[in-house]
Each structure stands twice: as structure tokens, then as C-alpha cells.
């Protein structure tokens, strides 16, 4: 079902979508900048520079072949203009990962200061990974967590330091042949986070990763692997930005999550890419018996985002929740949604998807709820709400539901509202200006996501939205 | 100078003329009732007064204390002291009642306030909100709820009266505030209104029922038919209409009755 807003109202909406992270650092001090372009040699070179074992090199080369063979998907946003030969696949900005911000090269550290990461780390994080271009440049983890056996490291190091654990799970949840971009990531991946939480360990404060693209024509292909062992729990938060360049950058990540029996894991993403980044991410979690997996996904920025975090409910009683918010401004297409695959009895899932479109921006909800024949007694509830701020903007809903069992309860609700003429009128009739009223409506619309964020993030998110609204409320 | 003066008001929605020359004058301290059958244009008048963008004033004007407000935005009208209690208040998810009210009050009490300037102090606001809510018998928890989201019919109407109490307008229009309420709720709304209205405020109560008027005796009753005020009388007229309906009005004004269109409400 496709909905295009048709209204005569000429609301002067506040300016949402202005990008505050558009600055960039000089790149002439970089340790290594790979050639532009993609071929088997470049793939092998990345593996070589990282001193990887043969199996990983072979995995990369096989993945590259799959990438070459797979056609460009035509069912979603426009991917035909990506020029894979005009992208740097590997850029090393510093010598290695540092444990103190003081040791991180000045330019890079300043960037993180401007983004407020060290400040946040002091206040409320259990650990931080900061990835700059292709690799992690800073890493920390609270000592007591390390003592309990928690591993929080970058993915490159995990391959070296925890080879058995790594090999057991890597590429098992999202194999290279899953889709063209999973294959691309599998071929040229670099950096990302590796998290292992041992059985019964509960990590109270969030672990955070921060991904920053700095150079022009850069591709960032981080790879994240999280294993939450039986009865353990953890919250992981990720933020992403890139400067504004005239040419496009590509961000294509793969995120694999394993939540074992009785485990709980929440993965929160707030990404605010500049408006010319292609953001093509594959995220999937396996949740086993009585486990809980939650995706909280905020998508601001990018030229095109295609992202559908998935949860496979593998064990009886597993629960999955996805809460996603997309914000599409001028020239942007947010094609986002969620997948819930019920593979076991008495599993339950919930998808809440919200989108805001303005200035001709386009947002789509694309979701899948699938119930396997043996998944008796499962429940799923899908709610998607779209908010259109002006007549030029567009919102579509593509819900796919595949049910192969009779004993299920599935609900789907979708609604599209314009930034309601009636809502604006109501608030304005109480003395609020149009800008204040719009801002209040938008802030209210994203409240369900903001409410789920750690407090400092909630403040940041609200600030972000307010900054993006011209004439922000006081 | 009258508090509110409406002269020869013509209002269209799209290409359809709804109001065809309404005249009305209301002074401080007066309560007026506006009655009429469905589709006669009562709500249109209320919306046009408050400045809804879909209701276009094609002729005539609306003045508050001599200022023509016909071309002003709804928020500017609010700052001049106009208030409309809605028949169907909209739901605004995620916006807390208290946050909304604090912005509203800050603007209305300080008409020169610019966007981004500071709001009225939190402590002062909270106390006032708590006091008004308790007077209206409202659960203080309601201030933390999202505006009209999941509210019952009675809660929505009470929320309108709370806003009236907080904003203290010079002139209030109540658009069928009694509809859909049980008699207890009507009593709460009526008592709230009678406490608020006084020598300073002018009130226009739009209703087809009499109940609200029992508690808030109008000095004047106006009857609308096919987009015009065809009769004006005292409180007695309201009682008559309540008892006998509009057939006698139609008989007395056959030319207006002939223009009536049956509208889905």
C-alpha cells in the first residue's frame, strides 16, 4: 500500500534535517590509504595487512565472488548509482588502537571531543570502542567486567585473540550469500565490535561503539559480533556520523547477534550520517529459549538507508522487539523496517516502526513476519506510523506476512498522518507558534524511541531533533 | 467597545459557503448561548473565530476589543485572549499535558515572547497546574499523560476546561462541550465554567442541549439556521428550543429553512 500526501496546506514547516556533524579532519597524515576500487587483489591485500589466518582470507575471497555474482537488488531504494570502483575500501588513520584518549592522534581525538564521546564515557558507559574510517582507534572496558570474563574488543583483535570463539560464530548468523551487501562486507570487512558476555553476567551500563567516516569516497565495512551467553544481559549502543562531501560514501555493515537461553540483549543504534552516504546494513539476531532480543534503531541522515534488523526466534518462549524511527529529509530515502521469524512455539514479537518525512523525503516501512509450521502459539504485533510534514514527502508500507501455522495471533496496524493540520491548529489555538507546534508534534512522535534510550542519549536525541527544527522550542 | 464583535461574517469551506452573514456582539461578563440544528453552522462559526485554516472568511470581520482578528494566525488570536474549547479535541501522542500547557501559558501570558525565550518558571507553573487540577477534581497524574491520548470523553472535556482555567482568556467559545458526557461530567464542566466565567470574561456556549445552560444561565440565546442568526432572545428561548425543537423556528423563518442542507455530522 502506497500513500502519498495530497494536501493544499502550505505549512511553513521548521527546517528539519540540517546536519551538524558535517565537519571533517585532514587526511594527509593517514598511515595507509588503500587504492580506490574493488577486486580480488584489494580483498587479499586487506587480509594481508591485518595478518589474518588463511581461513579468513579464503572466506573474504569467496565472499567477493558472491558479491560479484549477485545482481543489484531492484526492489527497494535506488542502488544503481553506486560506483564501487570509486571507493576506498581500506583506510588506516592511525597506528593502532589506544587505551587512553591522550594517545589517540590529535585530529581524531578532537573529532570525538566534538561528538561528545569521551565526556559520555566518563559519565555513563561501561566501555567504549571508537572506530575511525576502517579501524578502531580507541577502546576501553571497565576492569571489573574484564575480570568477569566479558570481552569487548574490536573485531580484528577478536579474530587474533579469541580465534575459537570467533570462528564458532562468525558468519553463521549472516552468511556471505545472504545478500549482495552482506557479501561485500564479508569480503572487505574491517573493524567493528566483538562482545562476549559469559553466562549469568549482567552488564548494567551500556557498552558503546562509535563509527565515524572522515574521508571522501570512503567505504566503512565494520563487522559486529555479539554473543550473550545463557542468562547474561547487556545493552550495546552505537552511534554513526560522517562529514558532508559532494561525492558519496558507502557504509555497509554486518551485525550478528547470538542471545542464548534466558539471555537479554538490547542493541541501540542512533545513526546520523550525512546526506550522501549509502547506508546498507544487515543486522540479525538469533534468540534462543526464553531469550529477549531488542533492536532500537534510529535512522537520521544518509542518502539511502536500507536496513531491516531481523530476529530469528529459535527457542521456545523467545521474545523479539524492534523499535525503529526513520527521518527522511530532502533527497533522502529511508527504506527501513524489521524482520521477525518465528521458528519455535510460543514465541512473541513486536515491531513498532515510525517514520517522519519532510521536504520531499521518502520513507518506507518494509517488514517481514514469518511463522514456521511448528511455531504454535506465537504472537506478533506490528505497528507502523508515518508522519508527513509536507505534501512533497512520501511514505510507503510494504508489510510481508508469511504464516505456515494455524495457531497464531498476528496483528498489523499502519497509519499515515500529515503533520496534522488538526494537531497544528489545536496547539496554535492555545498560543503556540507554528514552529513550536510542529516541533512539539515531532518530538512527541519520536517519544516512544527516546523513552527507550539511556537518559544521556535521550537528551542528545531530543537536542538533535530540536537543533534540526528551525526555531527550536525553549 | 464590545469585547467581541462579529459583523456580516461569511465563511466558506472549500467552495461551499456555510456562514452567510452572521452578526453577534458580546460584552465582558456576558454569557451567550448559540443554538441551532445540526448543519446550521455553529461549529463553523467557532472554527472561523479561532482561525482554522480550512475555514475561509470571504466577507465581514471578527473583532476582539476593536482589533480585527480575521486575518490573524490561531496563536495570535489566542494571545489576544480568544479561547475555543473543542468539541473533538485531537490526540497528540508523546506530548505531555504539562509540557504543552507550560508553552501555551508562556506565550499567552507574555504575548511578546519570542520562540526559544524562557518559559514561565517551573515551580510557579507546577503549583498553578496542581491547584487548577484539584479544583476540577482531576488526578494530578493526568499532567504527565500525553495530550488527549487514551482519554475518555469526559477526560477530554475536562482537559479543555483545565486549559480554559490555565489560559484565563478574555473570551471563551465552548463548542458543544457537553456532548457525549454523562450528567456527572456535565456538572463538573458546568461548575468549572461557572467558576471561571466572571465579570471579566465573555462566553459563547454552543450547544443543542439545555443541560449546560442550567448551570450557566445565558443572558442571550441566539438561534442559527442555514448559516445565519435568525433569532435572538433570553434564557427562556433556550428552554423553549430544548422542549419543542426547531420546527417553530423553521416556521417563523421559511426562507432560511429552505436553504438548510442536511449534513453528516
Amino acid at each position: 500500500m502506497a500513500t502519498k500526501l495530497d494536501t493544499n496546506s502550505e505549512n511553513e514547516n521548521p527546517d528539519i534535517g540540517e546536519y551538524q556533524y558535517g565537519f571533517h579532519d585532514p587526511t594527509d597524515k593517514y598511515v595507509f590509504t588503500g587504492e580506490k576500487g574493488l577486486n580480488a587483489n584489494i580483498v587479499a591485500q586487506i587480509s594481508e595487512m591485518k595478518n589474518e589466518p588463511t581461513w579468513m582470507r579464503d572466506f573474504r575471497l569467496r565472499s567477493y565472488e558472491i558479491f560479484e555474482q549477485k545482481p543489484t537488488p531492484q526492489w527497494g531504494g535506488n542502488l544503481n548509482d553506486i560506483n564501487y570502483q570509486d571507493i576506498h575500501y581500506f583506510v588506516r588513520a592511525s597506528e593502532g588502537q589506544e587505551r587512553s584518549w591522550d594517545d589517540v592522534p590529535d585530529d581524531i581525538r578532537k573529532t570525538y571531543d566534538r561528538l561528545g564521546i569521551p565526556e559520555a564515557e566518563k559519565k555513563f558507559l561501561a566501555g567504549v570502542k571508537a572506530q575511525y574510517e576502517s579501524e578502531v582507534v580507541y577502546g576501553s572496558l571497565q576492569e571489573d567486567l574484564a575480570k568477569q570474563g566479558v570481552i569487548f574488543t574490536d573485531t580484528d583483535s577478536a579474530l587474533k585473540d579469541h580465534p575459537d570463539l570467533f570462528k564458532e560464530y562468525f558468519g553463521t548468523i549472516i552468511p556471505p550469500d545472504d545478500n549482495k551487501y552482506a557479501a561485500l562486507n564479508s569480503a572487505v570487512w574491517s573493524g567493528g565490535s566483538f562482545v562476549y558476555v559469559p553466562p549469568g553476567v549482567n552488564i548494567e551500563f551500556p557498552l558503546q561503539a562509535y563509527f565515524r567516516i572522515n574521508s571522501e569516497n570512503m567505504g566503512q565495512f565494520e563487522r559486529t559480533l555479539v554473543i550473550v551467553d545463557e542468562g547474561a544481559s547487556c545493552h550495546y549502543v552505537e552511534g554513526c556520523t560522517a562529514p558532508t562531501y559532494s561525492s558519496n560514501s558507502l557504509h555497509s555493515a554486518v551485525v550478528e547477534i547470538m542471545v542464548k537461553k534466558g539471555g537479554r540483549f538490547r542493541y541501540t543504534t542512533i545513526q546520523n550520517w550525512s546526506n550522501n552516504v549509502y547506508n546498507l546494513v544487515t543486522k540479525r539476531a538469533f534468540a534462543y529459549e526464553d531469550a529477549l532480543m531488542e533492536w532500537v534503531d534510529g535512522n537520521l541522515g544518509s542518502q539511502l538507508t536500507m536496513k531491516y534488523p531481523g530476529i530469528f526466534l529459535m527457542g521456545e518462549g523467545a521474545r523479539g522487539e524492534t523499535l525503529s524511527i526513520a527521518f527522511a529529509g530532502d533527497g533522502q530515502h529511508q527504506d527501513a523496517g524489521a524482520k521477525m521469524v518465528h521458528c519455535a512455539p510460543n514465541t512473541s514479537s513486536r515491531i513498532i516502526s515510525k517514520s517522519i518525512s519532510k521536504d520531499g523525503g521518502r520513507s518506507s516501512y518494509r517488514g517481514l513476519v514469518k511463522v514456521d509450521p511448528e511455531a504454535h502459539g506465537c504472537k506478533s504485533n506490528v505497528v507502523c506510523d508515518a508522519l508527513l510534514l509536507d505534501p512533497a514527502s512520501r511514505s510507503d508500507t510494504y508489510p510481508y506476512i508469511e504464516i505456515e501455522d494455524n495457531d497464531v495471533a498476528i496483528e498489523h496496524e499502519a497509519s499515515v498522518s500529515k503533520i496534522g493540520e488538526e494537531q497544528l491548529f489545536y496547539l496554535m489555538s492555545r498560543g503556540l507558534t507554528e514552529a513550536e507546534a510542529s516541533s512539539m508534534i515531532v518530538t512527541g512522535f519520536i517519544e516512544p524511541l527516546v523513552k527507550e534510550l539511556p537518559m544521556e542519549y535521550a537528551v542528545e536525541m531530543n537536542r538533535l531533533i530540536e537543533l534540526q527544527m528551525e526555531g527550536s522550542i525553549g | 467597545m464590545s469585547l467581541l464583535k462579529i459583523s456580516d461574517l461569511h465563511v466558506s469551506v472549500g467552495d461551499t459557503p456555510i456562514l452567510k452573514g452572521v452578526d453577534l456582539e458580546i460584552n465582558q461578563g456576558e454569557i451567550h448561548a448559540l443554538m441551532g440544528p445540526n448543519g446550521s453552522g455553529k461549529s463553523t462559526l467557532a472554527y472561523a473565530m479561532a482561525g482554522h485554516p480550512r475555514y475561509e472568511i470571504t466577507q465581514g470581520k471578527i473583532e476582539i476589543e476593536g482589533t480585527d482578528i480575521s486575518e490573524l494566525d490561531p496563536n495570535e488570536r489566542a494571545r489576544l485572549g480568544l479561547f475555543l474549547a473543542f468539541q473533538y479535541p485531537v490526540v497528540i501522542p508523546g506530548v505531555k499535558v504539562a509540557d504543552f500547557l507550560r508553552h501555551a501559558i508562556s506565550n499567552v501570558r507574555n504575548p511578546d515572547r519570542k520562540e526559544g525565550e524562557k518559559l514561565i518558571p517551573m515551580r510557579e507553573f507546577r503549583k498553578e497546574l496542581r491547584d487548577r487540577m484539584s479544583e476540577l477534581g482531576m488526578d494530578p497524574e493526568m499532567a504527565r499523560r500525553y495530550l488527549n491520548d487514551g482519554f475518555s470523553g469526559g477526560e477530554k472535556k475536562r482537559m479543555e476546561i483545565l486549559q480554559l482555567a490555565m489560559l484565563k482568556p478574555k473570551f471563551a467559545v465552548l463548542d458543544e462541550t457537553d456532548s457525549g458526557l454523562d450528567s456527572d461530567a456535565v456538572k463538573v464542566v458546568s461548575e468549572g465554567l461557572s467558576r471561571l466565567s466572571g465579570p471579566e470574561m465573555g462566553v459563547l456556549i454552543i450547544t443543542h442541549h439545555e443541560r449546560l445552560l442550567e448551570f450557566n444561565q445565558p443572558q442571550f440565546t441566539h438561534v442559527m439556521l442555514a448559516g445565519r442568526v435568525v433569532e435572538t432572545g433570553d434564557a427562556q428561548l433556550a428552554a423553549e428550543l430544548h422542549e419543542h425543537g426547531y420546527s417553530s423556528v423553521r416556521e417563523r423563518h421559511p426562507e432560511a429553512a429552505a436553504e438548510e442542507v442536511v449534513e453528516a455530522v
Side-chain angles (χ1 to χ4, degrees):
Chain A
M1 124 188 63
T3 318
K4 195 160 193 295
L5 177 65
D6 182 23
T7 167
N8 295 322
S9 71
E10 287 283 330
N11 293 334
E12 280 188 17
N13 283 303
D15 186 19
I16 303 167
E18 204 157 294
Y19 189 65
Q20 63 161 332
Y21 300 124
F23 61 89
H24 67 92
D25 308 328
T27 56
D28 51 357
K29 289 183 214 147
Y30 281 9
V31 177
F32 175 83
T33 301
E35 280 172 41
K36 274 186 190 173
L38 186 58
N39 53 50
N41 286 339
I42 298 238
V43 174
Q45 190 190 28
I46 293 171
S47 190
E48 200 174 309
M49 287 202 63
K50 292 175 175 294
N51 292 316
E52 288 176 347
T54 318
W55 76 267
M56 181 54 77
R57 179 194 155 102
D58 294 345
F59 174 86
R60 288 179 181 274
L61 289 167
R62 200 169 67 245
S63 301
Y64 174 66
E65 277 172 33
I66 297 169
F67 168 73
E68 285 282 88
Q69 283 156 15
K70 282 200 183 275
T72 300
Q74 299 300 324
W75 43 265
N78 177 18
L79 298 162
N80 301 320
D81 300 335
I82 302 175
N83 182 356
Y84 296 100
Q85 299 310 328
D86 195 33
I87 288 171
H88 294 284
Y89 287 83
F90 184 65
V91 173
R92 185 168 274 170
S94 77
E95 290 291 351
Q97 190 186 145
E98 302 298 344
R99 289 179 188 281
S100 158
W101 283 110
D102 292 338
D103 298 331
V104 173
D106 279 355
D107 288 342
I108 298 176
R109 197 193 61 235
K110 271 185 216 149
T111 298
Y112 286 103
D113 282 341
R114 284 177 80 171
L115 296 166
I117 307 300
E119 190 64 26
E121 179 188 359
K122 274 179 237 154
K123 282 194 219 147
F124 67 102
L125 297 169
V128 169
K129 293 288 151 192
Q131 175 158 348
Y132 193 85
E133 311 290 32
S134 299
E135 293 180 318
V136 171
V137 294
Y138 173 79
S140 72
L141 177 67
Q142 280 177 7
E143 215 167 291
D144 60 318
L145 292 175
K147 277 185 192 149
Q148 291 179 76
V150 173
I151 302 169
F152 180 37
T153 183
D154 67 282
T155 315
D156 293 304
S157 304
L159 172 60
K160 288 190 190 73
D161 302 342
H162 310 281
D164 295 342
L165 193 56
F166 189 92
K167 200 172 175 182
E168 187 181 348
Y169 296 101
F170 182 87
T172 59
I173 298 164
I174 303 171
D177 60 1
D178 188 81
N179 67 76
K180 189 173 177 72
Y181 298 95
L184 177 63
N185 176 284
S186 299
V188 299
W189 73 270
S190 183
S193 301
F194 179 85
V195 178
Y196 174 75
V197 190
V201 173
N202 299 299
I203 304 181
E204 192 183 344
F205 296 103
L207 299 174
Q208 196 211 33
Y210 203 87
F211 298 94
R212 171 80 180 169
I213 295 177
N214 184 58
S215 7
E216 194 165 7
N217 297 103
M218 175 66 201
Q220 194 172 64
F221 306 96
E222 84 272 14
R223 182 98 193 187
T224 293
L225 177 57
V226 177
I227 302 142
V228 177
D229 220 322
E230 292 189 5
S233 70
C234 178
H235 183 184
Y236 176 89
V237 189
E238 155 195 291
C240 317
T241 60
T244 309
Y245 285 115
S246 56
S247 54
N248 300 315
S249 294
L250 174 59
H251 173 246
S252 188
V254 164
V255 177
E256 298 179 281
I257 313 287
M258 174 73 65
V259 191
K260 295 196 178 176
K261 184 178 173 184
R264 300 168 72 101
F265 185 63
R266 173 181 282 197
Y267 190 108
T268 298
T269 307
I270 302 298
Q271 60 171 43
N272 189 17
W273 296 114
S274 69
N275 293 356
N276 49 8
V277 173
Y278 283 92
N279 183 39
L280 311 169
V281 174
T282 310
K283 292 183 164 174
R284 188 174 303 154
F286 283 180
Y288 288 88
E289 198 179 335
D290 295 322
L292 171 64
M293 172 67 206
E294 299 168 285
W295 296 106
V296 178
D297 203 44
N299 299 301
L300 290 83
S302 85
Q303 169 172 354
L304 170 64
T305 289
M306 290 176 73
K307 185 177 7 163
Y308 324 97
I311 304 176
F312 281 64
L313 300 156
M314 310 288 278
E316 181 151 11
R319 285 182 295 151
E321 290 203 8
T322 300
L323 175 57
S324 76
I325 297 214
F327 195 116
D330 184 19
Q332 293 179 288
H333 184 182
Q334 302 282 6
D335 199 276
K339 293 181 189 175
M340 292 288 178
V341 182
H342 294 256
C343 308
N346 302 315
T347 48
S348 60
S349 66
R350 190 164 68 125
I351 298 171
I352 299 175
S353 165
K354 288 175 167 271
S355 69
I356 303 166
S357 312
K358 71 164 291 222
D359 293 341
R362 179 176 175 192
S363 63
S364 316
Y365 167 78
R366 196 181 299 275
L368 171 71
V369 175
K370 189 170 187 298
V371 180
D372 285 353
E374 67 278 15
H376 314 300
C378 70
K379 290 184 191 136
S380 178
N381 173 242
V382 181
V383 179
C384 17
D385 296 328
L387 183 65
L388 297 170
L389 299 197
D390 54 59
S393 301
R394 170 175 170 180
S395 173
D396 307 280
T397 306
Y398 308 97
Y400 299 90
I401 300 177
E402 296 172 21
I403 313 287
E404 294 176 27
D405 186 82
N406 292 326
D407 176 24
V408 296
I410 309 288
E411 297 166 339
H412 178 97
E413 304 162 32
S415 75
V416 178
S417 39
K418 351 176 201 174
I419 197 160
E421 197 179 51
E422 299 307 321
Q423 292 179 330
L424 271 182
F425 173 60
Y426 187 85
L427 295 180
M428 287 176 74
S429 78
R430 302 312 190 224
L432 273 64
T433 63
E434 186 165 354
E436 282 176 328
S438 303
S439 180
M440 204 168 251
I441 293 165
V442 170
T443 308
F445 186 76
I446 62 161
E447 157 78 11
L449 177 128
V450 173
K451 203 168 63 182
E452 295 301 322
L453 298 176
M455 216 254 283
E456 284 79 358
Y457 273 84
V459 170
E460 170 66 12
M461 184 76 178
N462 271 331
R463 199 173 66 94
L464 212 57
I465 291 290
E466 282 180 14
L467 274 173
Q468 286 167 340
M469 310 282 290
E470 198 180 68
S472 59
I473 55 177
Chain B
M1 191 188 332
S2 31
L3 175 59
L4 175 94
K5 190 174 177 191
I6 295 175
S7 8
D8 190 32
L9 191 70
H10 291 246
V11 172
S12 291
V13 176
D15 293 330
T16 313
I18 310 281
L19 300 188
K20 300 160 185 167
V22 172
D23 294 292
L24 211 53
E25 211 169 323
I26 298 173
N27 294 307
Q28 273 191 336
E30 290 179 356
I31 296 180
H32 290 233
L34 179 66
M35 303 183 77
N38 286 338
S40 57
K42 304 185 301 295
S43 286
T44 297
L45 179 64
Y47 275 92
M49 287 169 75
H52 193 292
R54 260 205 323 263
Y55 294 76
E56 193 198 348
I57 296 177
T58 54
Q59 197 178 314
K61 62 182 175 184
I62 306 166
E63 291 162 284
I64 285 191
E65 293 180 321
T67 304
D68 183 359
I69 62 165
S70 320
E71 299 289 321
L72 298 183
D73 285 343
N75 54 316
E76 294 168 322
R77 299 181 195 210
R79 291 181 197 206
L80 287 172
L82 181 77
F83 180 90
L84 169 63
F86 286 79
Q87 183 177 10
Y88 303 109
V90 297
V91 173
I92 308 191
V95 172
K96 292 198 181 81
V97 167
D99 292 341
F100 153 67
L101 270 175
R102 190 162 169 234
H103 274 85
I105 284 172
S106 300
N107 284 348
V108 168
R109 297 217 182 135
N110 177 11
D112 298 325
R113 178 179 177 271
K114 303 228 169 22
E115 275 163 48
E117 278 181 23
K118 66 179 195 308
L119 302 168
I120 77 160
M122 185 56 100
R123 184 182 298 233
E124 189 184 313
F125 169 74
R126 280 216 182 114
K127 182 184 184 311
E128 197 175 332
L129 181 61
R130 216 171 31 236
D131 290 352
R132 296 293 90 77
M133 289 181 94
S134 117
E135 283 163 16
L136 291 166
M138 294 168 79
D139 181 355
E141 196 52 41
M142 226 163 151
R144 276 193 273 274
R145 289 175 67 182
Y146 298 147
L147 190 52
N148 296 323
D149 197 0
F151 284 23
S152 69
E155 284 172 330
K156 283 183 186 171
K157 298 296 160 73
R158 230 176 264 207
M159 185 52 64
E160 293 296 290
I161 298 299
L162 173 67
Q163 293 177 39
L164 179 67
M166 294 293 285
L167 291 169
K168 301 189 184 86
K170 288 179 187 157
F171 187 81
V173 183
L174 281 80
D175 187 11
E176 311 227 4
T177 300
D178 51 345
S179 71
L181 294 188
D182 60 33
S183 43
D184 285 349
V186 170
K187 197 163 174 235
V188 170
V189 168
S190 301
E191 285 176 358
L193 178 61
S194 63
R195 185 185 297 114
L196 296 166
S197 60
E200 301 296 317
M201 203 199 284
V203 181
L204 179 66
I205 300 174
I206 298 175
T207 178
H208 15 219
H209 306 295
E210 199 203 6
R211 288 186 302 184
L212 195 57
L213 304 177
E214 283 172 18
F215 297 92
N216 296 277
Q217 282 277 320
Q219 286 94 335
F220 300 94
T221 300
H222 309 278
V223 187
M224 216 165 183
L225 199 60
R228 288 188 191 88
V229 174
V230 292
E231 281 185 18
T232 291
D234 55 15
Q236 189 55 34
L237 177 60
E240 267 173 46
L241 292 171
H242 180 62
E243 212 164 311
H244 303 294
Y246 295 100
S247 51
S248 54
V249 177
R250 289 189 174 101
E251 279 165 26
R252 290 197 290 271
H253 305 277
E255 67 297 333
E259 281 181 48
E260 272 191 281
V261 282
V262 180
E263 266 184 39
V265 178

